[in-house]
Amino acid sequence: MVKSSFISILSQKDKKENKGSVEFQIFSFTNKIRKLTSHLELHRKDYLSQRGLRKILGKRQRLLSYLEKKNGVRYKKLISQFNIRESKTR
């Protein structure tokens, strides 16, 4: 795995202070998603990792929809920082 492709936007100070914030949780889920995605490119039949990836994607999606409802400006900023596609509306 290439570690340089993962996100390192938040500073060390922010990581220690705001572990419960929505932004930090989305940040950590995005890192996990990118690691699992690169793992699954090599190991296509690792079904347990695929299941874990789907669970993490759902958690991140719920957090993103929560943030969009509460504060649209922070949501747009986070989407652009992490290069995440916007969710489809139902």
Side-chain angles (χ1 to χ4, degrees):
M1 281 189 269
V2 179
K3 290 187 178 182
S4 63
S5 66
F6 301 124
I7 302 170
S8 63
I9 293 174
L10 299 176
S11 67
Q12 294 294 329
K13 181 180 176 185
D14 291 341
K15 287 181 187 178
K16 291 180 183 175
E17 290 179 1
N18 299 325
K19 288 190 176 186
S21 69
V22 176
E23 288 90 353
F24 181 81
Q25 290 179 29
I26 292 172
F27 166 76
S28 64
F29 285 145
T30 303
N31 275 339
K32 286 180 186 179
I33 288 168
R34 294 200 175 151
K35 287 178 186 176
L36 278 173
T37 304
S38 65
H39 168 77
L40 288 171
E41 287 175 356
L42 296 174
H43 308 284
R44 294 194 186 276
K45 294 189 176 185
D46 189 354
Y47 298 117
L48 290 176
S49 292
Q50 288 177 10
R51 180 175 184 260
L53 177 64
R54 278 187 245 116
K55 288 177 80 170
I56 293 172
L57 282 169
K59 287 180 183 180
R60 185 180 74 173
Q61 187 58 44
R62 285 191 298 273
L63 281 172
L64 283 170
S65 64
Y66 167 79
L67 186 62
E68 185 179 20
K69 289 176 189 173
K70 292 293 180 181
N71 193 340
V73 175
R74 283 173 43 199
Y75 170 77
K76 292 287 185 185
K77 182 180 174 186
L78 198 67
I79 291 290
S80 65
Q81 271 186 339
F82 295 155
N83 294 326
I84 300 173
R85 288 183 284 173
E86 290 194 40
S87 64
K88 298 176 183 175
T89 56
R90 292 184 179 182

